[in-house]
Amino acid sequence: MLITETAVRDAYRIQPEPIPDQRGLFYEALRHTSLRAATGHAFEVRQVHFTVSHRGVLRGIHGTALPPGQGKIVTCVRGAALTMVVDLRVGSPTFGHHDVVRQDPHTATALYLPDGLGLAYVALADDTCVNYLCTQEYVHGTIIDVDALDPALDLPWNLSGPPIRSLRDEAAPSLAAAEAAGLLPTYEDCLRVYHADPSPDD
């Protein structure tokens, strides 16, 4: 697999190398040692969940407060999604920056997002299913919401009409308002989390 850093520091694309035969394809979606070598971070799966969305649904921007945090590897396993990673870490060299990845089952491109990074995506097809591998179990009340349509972020959604959003996402603050309210993690706190957990490879 090819693991490359995005325009947002510490966020990585994971691009598998398919092996075709007469039955179809085989590929590795995740290898612990390869991810650890590329990122320097340990990744332990503690929760797995899926979303299923209609075409035009826009989810996010969502992050998780520290503690507990919740790093993620995100893959589109059905349909297609235009996915944005946004740096929510106050003090980060790429704070407020974003990168864009088109995800679908054909490329099988995944995104690795450690703590402090926000995720948003718009479903490009009906019945789009996105899979999350998470480093922590979900804790009610710890989700950070930022407006995916914040004009200051200027995310390139290329929407043809108003997206379908939850009431919570529609009411989310701008990045500047979330920072002013003290809702966002600091870059320093996130770095401590990235390197806190021991790994069998150490």
Side-chain angles (χ1 to χ4, degrees), residues 137-158:
E137 296 180 9
Y138 167 73
V139 177
H140 180 73
T142 61
I143 298 299
I144 297 170
D145 299 310
V146 173
D147 185 7
L149 301 181
D150 179 357
L153 290 174
D154 194 27
L155 301 179
W157 293 115
N158 299 320

Side-chain angles (χ1 to χ4, degrees), residues 55-122:
R55 181 185 181 93
V57 165
L58 175 57
R59 296 180 184 263
I61 304 167
H62 300 151
T64 309
L66 285 176
Q70 191 181 61
K72 305 175 182 71
I73 293 177
V74 182
T75 310
C76 180
V77 297
R78 187 172 64 240
L82 187 68
T83 305
M84 310 278 173
V85 53
V86 181
D87 196 339
L88 306 181
R89 304 168 298 180
V90 176
S92 166
T94 54
F95 176 68
H97 293 198
H98 71 272
D99 207 342
V100 186
V101 178
R102 190 186 192 279
Q103 295 185 283
D104 59 51
H106 305 291
T107 64
T109 299
L111 268 174
Y112 165 62
L113 285 72
D115 290 304
L117 302 183
L119 175 72
Y121 59 86
V122 63

Side-chain angles (χ1 to χ4, degrees), residues 122-146:
V122 63
L124 303 177
D126 284 330
D127 203 31
T128 291
C129 183
V130 174
N131 168 242
Y132 298 72
L133 307 179
C134 302
T135 60
Q136 298 290 341
E137 296 180 9
Y138 167 73
V139 177
H140 180 73
T142 61
I143 298 299
I144 297 170
D145 299 310
V146 173

